[in-house]
Amino acid sequence: SKRIKNISISRPILYGNTAIPFTSLDTKKPPNVPENHTHQWTVFVSDPTKNLNPLSNLIKKVQFKLHETIPNSLRTIESPPFQITETGWGEFEIIIKIFFIQDSNEKYLTLYHHLILHPYDNSNLNSLINNKSFINKSNPSEIVSVNYDEIIFNEPNESFFKILVNQ
Ligand code: SLL
């Protein structure tokens, strides 16, 4: 459908990762995990709001491109929660592509997230460590690296506009 001129609508988005070292007392290494893997981690895309019209209504699928050392390194998630949990030993850049619903006619959005497994300074548990990663206060064995951003839809088409404003 037709694009609406001079309108842009933005939607907040969170993306990032959590990681738990297998050395933490409550995280036993599952038996099938390779010897050299040190962490379990989850990379995610989520909606920071409690919107009645959640971000997932706008998304067709999310692709996560993981490091080539990981089996099936291109992962596609077609319904929420948009996340991947894996085990491994190293940090690397994850390419996240968000594909919007067909009706929107929007190009996919690419986000880059550097997977963080090691906090910069784990002696200072409760503070923000390097702007990027911190220890989860309610679960001190968990490292969190999260980015807040806003997706801006410029001149959405009429049908997508209706979905964006929840009509
Ligand atoms: C590094 N440049 O050397 C980075 C690469 C790759 C991490 C890190 C493998 C997991 C698996 C894994 O953790 N790769 O084999 O399933 O630090």
Side-chain angles (χ1 to χ4, degrees):
S1 61
K2 238 177 44 217
R3 291 206 168 251
I4 306 175
K5 296 276 173 219
N6 305 318
I7 277 198
S8 31
I9 294 183
S10 72
R11 295 293 299 257
I13 183 170
L14 283 181
Y15 62 99
N17 79 276
T18 57
I20 302 177
F22 288 125
T23 50
S24 88
L25 292 173
D26 51 348
T27 314
K28 282 247 172 58
K29 195 165 172 169
N32 54 330
V33 172
E35 201 57 50
N36 63 343
H37 286 195
T38 55
H39 291 73
Q40 176 172 296
W41 51 261
T42 297
V43 58
F44 62 87
V45 165
S46 69
D47 187 339
T49 69
K50 299 269 176 284
N51 205 317
L52 286 173
N53 178 17
L55 189 60
S56 58
N57 286 358
L58 315 177
I59 293 176
K60 185 171 89 183
K61 63 180 181 186
V62 178
Q63 280 186 345
F64 297 90
K65 181 71 181 78
L66 310 176
H67 196 263
E68 300 287 352
T69 52
I70 298 171
N72 310 314
S73 65
L74 182 65
R75 308 286 178 90
T76 302
I77 305 294
E78 297 192 339
S79 57
F82 298 108
Q83 63 182 49
I84 300 288
T85 297
E86 266 298 347
T87 63
W89 51 266
E91 300 183 340
F92 56 91
E93 185 171 71
I94 298 175
I95 304 169
I96 303 170
K97 281 188 179 161
I98 300 176
F99 294 80
F100 300 101
I101 54 172
Q102 198 81 58
D103 267 3
S104 71
N105 243 325
E106 296 288 332
K107 188 184 180 291
Y108 61 79
L109 175 69
T110 307
L111 302 171
Y112 300 88
H113 175 68
H114 194 82
L115 179 71
I116 299 284
L117 303 183
H118 307 283
Y120 181 71
D121 173 10
N122 64 10
S123 63
N124 188 6
L125 292 187
N126 292 331
S127 69
L128 194 68
I129 289 161
N130 61 359
N131 277 336
K132 289 292 281 180
S133 65
F134 55 91
I135 304 287
N136 183 351
K137 273 189 198 168
S138 54
N139 178 6
S141 64
E142 186 175 75
I143 297 139
V144 182
S145 173
V146 61
N147 307 281
Y148 174 91
D149 210 339
E150 273 173 22
I151 309 175
I152 297 166
F153 298 103
N154 286 314
E155 305 194 339
N157 71 36
E158 283 165 354
S159 63
F160 195 46
F161 176 79
K162 283 184 186 157
I163 296 164
L164 283 166
V165 299
N166 202 11
Q167 282 174 349

